[in-house]
Amino acid sequence: MTIPNTSDALARLAAVIETRKAANGGDPATSYVARLLHKGPDAFLKKIGEEATEVVMAAKDVDHGGDKAKLVGEVADLWFHSMVALAHYGLAPADVVAELERREGTSGIEEKALRKVQAREGGQS
C-alpha cells in the first residue's frame, strides 16, 4: 500500500489559504476563505462546529451501511475549516503534525493523564 504524502497536500492548501488573508490581498467578494476570515473567528469557528457534527452523523451512517465517501467528504470539510482557523491564528498544518509526532509512541491514556497533571500544575501558583 502506498501512503500519500498528506503533509505536502496540506501545506499546499495552507499556502492557498494564506493568500486569501486580507493582508495578502484576499477579497471577501470573490473568495469563500477571505469571506470567512473577514467575518472573524465566530464565522469559521461556527463552521468547524457544524462540520464536526456532520462528521459524527456521517460516521453513524457508515455504522448502518452508509457511504464511506460521505464520511471522507465531511472530514475533509472539517479539516479545511480547521486549517482556516490555524491560518487566522498564525499556525500551519505542520504545527499540528509536529504535535502528533511529539505524541507518537505515547499511549492516549498516558497523554490524557499528563495533560490533566499539567493543567492542575498550571492552575497552582
Side-chain angles (χ1 to χ4, degrees), residues 46-124:
K46 179 180 177 186
K47 285 301 296 180
I48 290 170
E50 291 171 3
E51 298 303 343
T53 299
E54 291 173 7
V55 166
V56 171
M57 293 181 338
K60 294 300 250 177
D61 287 347
V62 170
D63 284 339
H64 299 284
D67 186 3
K68 290 181 182 179
K70 175 79 171 158
L71 176 58
V72 170
E74 296 301 346
V75 170
D77 291 344
L78 177 61
W79 285 16
F80 173 80
H81 288 91
S82 295
M83 289 177 64
V84 171
L86 288 172
H88 173 80
Y89 295 110
L91 298 166
D95 297 307
V96 177
V97 171
E99 175 61 13
L100 291 171
E101 288 173 342
R102 184 191 68 76
R103 295 179 185 185
E104 191 173 2
T106 302
S107 154
I109 294 170
E110 292 171 3
E111 177 69 23
K112 187 173 181 181
L114 179 59
R115 283 187 297 216
K116 283 184 179 181
V117 167
Q118 289 172 336
R120 276 196 306 267
E121 289 174 353
Q124 297 174 357

